[in-house]
Amino acid sequence: MKRFFACLFTSRASKSHCHLNNSHPRRSREAMETTLENNPGSDTKIMEGNASSSSESKSTNIILNHDFSGGLESWHPNCCHGYVVSANSGPQGRMLMESNVNYAVVTGRNECWQGLEQDITGKISGGSTYKVSACVGVSGLPQANSDVLATLKLQYRDSAASYLFIGRTSVTEGSWARLEGTFSLPTIPERIIFYLEGPSPGVDLLIQSVEITCSSPNEYNSASAKCDSTGDDNIIVNPTFDDGLNNWSGRGCKIALHTSMADGKILPQIGKNFASATERTQSWNGIQQEITGKVQRKLAYEVTALVRIYGNNVTSADVRATLWVQTPDLREQYIGIANVQATDKNWVQMQGKFLLNGSPSKVVVYLEGPPPGIDILVNTLVLKHAAKAPPSTPPDFKNATFGVNVIENSNLDDGSKGWFPLGNCTLSVGTGSPHIIPPMARDSLGLHEPLSGRYILVTNRTQTWMGPAQIITEKIKLFLTYQVSAWVRVGSGSTGTQNVNVALGVDSQWVNGGQVEVSDDRWYEIGGSFRIEKQPSKVMVYIQGPASGVDLMVAGLQIFPVDRQTRFKYLRKQADKIRKRDVILKFSGGGSGGKLGTLVKVTQIQNDFPVGSCMSRTNIDNEDFVDFFAKHFNWAVFGNELKWYWTEAQQGKFNYKDADDMLALCQKYKIETRGHCIFWEVDGVVQQWVKSLSKDDLMKAVQNRLTGLLTRYKGKFKHYDVNNEMLHGSFYQDRLGKDIRASMFKNAHQLDPSAILFVNDYHVEDGCDTRSNPEKYIQHVIDLQKQGAPVGGIGIQGHIDSPVGPIVCSALDKLGILGLPIWFTELDVSSTNEFVRADDLEVMMREAFAHPSVDGIMLWGFWELFMSRNDAHLVNAEGDINEAGKRYLALRQEWLSHSHGHVDEEGEFSFRGFQGTYNVEVVTPLKKISKTIVVDKGDSPLEVSIDLQGSCFA
């Protein structure tokens, strides 16, 4: 489906009352806060703002008139108005004032980006880290709270201004809050403007004081306010080519030094020189530097580079920073560090991180990526030990109105009030829609008023994106998860299946709130979710999707914040029902009456419910990783090392050593393993040599792959994902016919009858992908079974954003009708805030653990820098367990049962516990007995006999 967003912004063009040099073009909040990826010259270490005070820095404050004792001297209102209030003038609104304290009031704000700014050009030195601390407030706030942000505007030579997010804090009316953050610029632009912004239009911004100091100064020049950082030296020698090309070399190509190119149109952004990798004949050709012995294992490093491209009439291309590592046993590893879409117009910044698990014999960092014939230009490359990210602060949800619909006039009691047509379509109100709220919303909301039966009819639709819309900017709270629910239907003019989507326009982003396929004239439930983690200037919800000319009907649209804690209470009870079993310990021996009062202590030492994780070959060189894995997981899956493109990258050249090493480790720690995957149906991940085969040769290669893999590892992998993501790809089916998929299952079963064979796909559980909804997945399995495929399990990958329990549970309920075990095979959740990430993870793990059809959970990694998604890790790169990791460990501890007490008159001790292994300790007047028992799955109570006279259970 084409993703469309109608622009709703007001341009940031200069206005007549603005300071001449302070205006700037429109930019989205998303663009501002992703400066790490897009902004030339910024090396940001972001610290989210909070209301807690920080220790005072002894460094000189580079902000002039920081406490507004000189009025607004040195400050400029950005396209708005400002004045200073003194304590003697009385408070502004309900704001409490200290004696002899001034503060600035920024008023007349028509845009969220308008605020107060100061030019700090010449006061910042490259590579140093600066700490920002400001005391801020708001006045005239219509809602509970609002965010205030600190930002840098950076103006580089011959390029548009860019914006660097520093930090934010949430402010309530009538109180001051502390905004804190840090920033570092490896390269210095021509102008640097610091400013405060953020509250909604119409809300006054109050500022009591602002400080910017060097956070860890070694030397300090009070005149220029510059400082040199310590302990953060650049590992790269000659990083700006001041010493020519010394220490640099070409990787399969030539390199050259330049002061300019293209008749002076290309100049270095910093320094006097830049280098080019030229005469490139392969995409991996580039410029390189050896750093052997300069990087330590188990430490995180950050790479920052300024790059661009030149030549062959190509205007943009992907440039990558890669690490080539040779291990002591001469194995080679290629570690992707960073990538950026470089252009021939401007220098762009590339930034990324890496960590070495083992002790390499040789390490080289290099730039690569563009097609042959394109020069890679590099102005600077910096490689330093990465600073640790500041910890997250828990979002404030105290005043959240859980379950309250943010949509105005959802029941259409007031006609179409609150709604407007997006585009030139026509809105009217009809009757005859369902009176009950959709089931997934009902599961979240509980008892609820019935719907009115009225619906919005959208006619005269000439584009797929046309439909009913509302602006909900002020009703959305950051970091809250919102559930989306509605009834939808299409009218006359429809031919074939139509896709209906609840979409959100969040500044310049399209956000998916849920999708459903509609194929007839029935009402369909649409369900989804979303979360916004960066302050938007405008949020619009609209319903779109059917082809032009097809009428659209929408009834009972609900968007409401989800009360996860209430759901968790329900899931705890459900888990107790399906994962626990009654156990009766029956004691004998010990003489008559000797058993009564005997002390019994029952401790569960292992829950048998499978919870595992993905790992990579390089991970097992890190003893800290292995220790965490062995302690906290009982299953494993290999991320890449069993895939065909890894084991046979070139035809006839096999690499099973990586998988062998990983399997040996799992066997050592008695960790069960899943085989992922025998084939992968998506065209983009199939090796080129496989693609070039004829039909007959491809069929032979498929059989050789099956025979080679499953014979080698017969009985060693409990599961196999036979043909990964068949709902999203069709490479083998397109070339070998529809029967090939079932044939793969049948041949795999013949080669290893002990392995359970799985289908495996993504977006099955979240309502956001019509290609892989539960109904299609069910039909997919049935079709395979009709062809004789021995499908033994259903894999739901679980790469999910903003999960909502009832939506996930609904998918599990539907898939459960097949009677096959369901596993979450690749679970990961992503949020910039560790506490929100922890909540997401708890949602998914509790839903899985409390559902009778789910037999296991596999995380798709847990260690930072070794996961496929950013902000999804549980353990930070250098081994610190973050809030998400702590939540995971807490859940694992919660799922262990313990009990103690005394033997009763019947000579029995009863308890109810999770399935798994227990240690039973019995203390009699004469001795202490310790025994191990296993509580397996079963509906009836498990009776275990214990002979107090003997040494083992009867």
Side-chain angles (χ1 to χ4, degrees), residues 45-52 166-168 180-182 387-395 479 831-837 864 871 873 876 880-884 886:
K45 301 170 180 64
I46 297 173
M47 180 178 293
E48 293 288 0
N50 56 51
S52 61
I166 300 173
R168 69 151 67 82
E180 295 182 339
T182 61
K388 290 189 176 182
S392 300
T393 55
F479 291 108
S831 173
T832 56
N833 187 290
E834 294 171 11
F835 291 89
V836 177
R837 193 187 317 160
E864 186 183 14
D871 301 317
H873 55 282
N876 299 338
D880 300 318
I881 301 174
N882 59 32
E883 293 300 327
K886 293 174 184 177

Side-chain angles (χ1 to χ4, degrees), residues 424-482:
N424 297 322
C425 56
T426 302
L427 304 187
S428 60
V429 176
T431 58
S433 59
H435 286 270
I436 61 171
I437 62 173
M440 285 184 284
R442 186 169 65 246
D443 289 344
S444 291
L445 297 171
L447 293 176
H448 203 271
E449 292 294 323
L451 301 179
S452 66
R454 290 182 285 270
Y455 61 87
I456 296 177
L457 174 62
V458 190
T459 55
N460 300 320
R461 299 178 62 257
T462 58
Q463 300 288 337
T464 60
W465 49 263
M466 290 183 178
Q470 279 196 24
I471 302 298
I472 57 173
T473 312
E474 303 301 327
K475 300 176 181 180
I476 299 299
K477 187 177 179 67
L478 294 185
F479 291 108
L480 258 183
T481 299
Y482 289 84

Side-chain angles (χ1 to χ4, degrees), residues 606-842:
Q606 180 178 319
N607 189 314
D608 283 349
F609 184 82
V611 180
S613 175
C614 166
M615 64 163 66
S616 67
R617 171 59 186 84
T618 180
N619 288 145
I620 69 175
D621 293 330
N622 186 334
E623 58 272 18
D624 297 334
F625 178 97
V626 172
D627 181 64
F628 188 96
F629 202 109
K631 285 181 179 178
H632 304 299
F633 298 101
N634 53 24
W635 276 68
V637 63
F638 305 165
N640 292 304
E641 288 79 358
L642 212 65
K643 292 172 180 171
W644 196 4
Y645 64 63
W646 191 280
T647 62
E648 195 181 2
Q650 299 178 29
Q651 188 172 12
K653 296 182 178 180
F654 296 97
N655 169 28
Y656 287 113
K657 180 170 174 46
D658 292 335
D660 289 347
D661 291 348
M662 298 166 73
L663 189 59
L665 180 90
C666 292
Q667 291 171 338
K668 174 183 177 180
Y669 289 101
K670 298 180 180 179
I671 295 172
E672 300 285 5
T673 49
R674 300 190 77 251
H676 177 80
C677 51
I678 304 175
F679 300 101
W680 196 346
E681 188 74 303
V682 175
D683 183 278
V685 295
V686 178
Q687 311 95 295
Q688 191 56 49
W689 72 263
V690 174
K691 290 183 177 181
S692 66
L693 297 175
S694 66
K695 181 178 179 180
D696 289 344
D697 287 341
L698 178 58
M699 185 67 81
K700 293 177 184 176
V702 166
Q703 186 58 51
N704 289 339
R705 162 66 173 171
L706 282 162
T707 303
L709 183 72
L710 276 79
T711 301
R712 181 184 186 89
Y713 295 114
K714 185 174 182 179
K716 295 180 180 179
F717 289 98
K718 296 292 185 181
H719 300 170
Y720 279 107
D721 296 325
V722 176
N723 191 2
N724 198 37
E725 298 175 0
M726 288 182 278
L727 295 176
H728 289 89
S730 58
F731 172 81
Y732 296 100
Q733 181 173 266
D734 290 346
R735 286 156 180 77
L736 301 177
K738 185 178 181 181
D739 293 342
I740 188 60
R741 293 176 167 180
S743 177
M744 289 172 173
F745 274 84
K746 288 184 279 190
N747 289 339
H749 179 67
Q750 291 174 355
L751 290 164
D752 190 351
S754 66
I756 301 174
L757 306 181
F758 276 70
V759 292
N760 194 50
D761 229 302
Y762 59 92
H763 283 330
V764 178
E765 78 290 354
D766 55 15
C768 72
D769 187 346
T770 56
R771 292 174 296 178
S772 54
N773 59 43
E775 291 79 9
K776 286 190 175 180
Y777 209 16
I778 291 168
Q779 190 59 52
H780 172 60
V781 173
I782 292 173
D783 289 344
L784 286 170
Q785 290 174 329
K786 286 180 178 178
Q787 297 178 72
V791 180
I794 299 172
I796 301 174
Q797 291 184 8
H799 303 293
I800 190 170
D801 294 306
S802 56
V804 172
I807 295 176
V808 174
C809 185
S810 174
L812 294 174
D813 287 345
K814 293 173 182 177
L815 292 169
I817 68 171
L818 290 171
L820 297 173
I822 299 171
W823 281 59
F824 280 102
T825 54
E826 303 179 19
L827 176 62
D828 59 18
V829 294
S830 176
S831 173
T832 56
N833 187 290
E834 294 171 11
F835 291 89
V836 177
R837 193 187 317 160
D839 288 345
D840 285 356
L841 182 64
E842 185 171 357

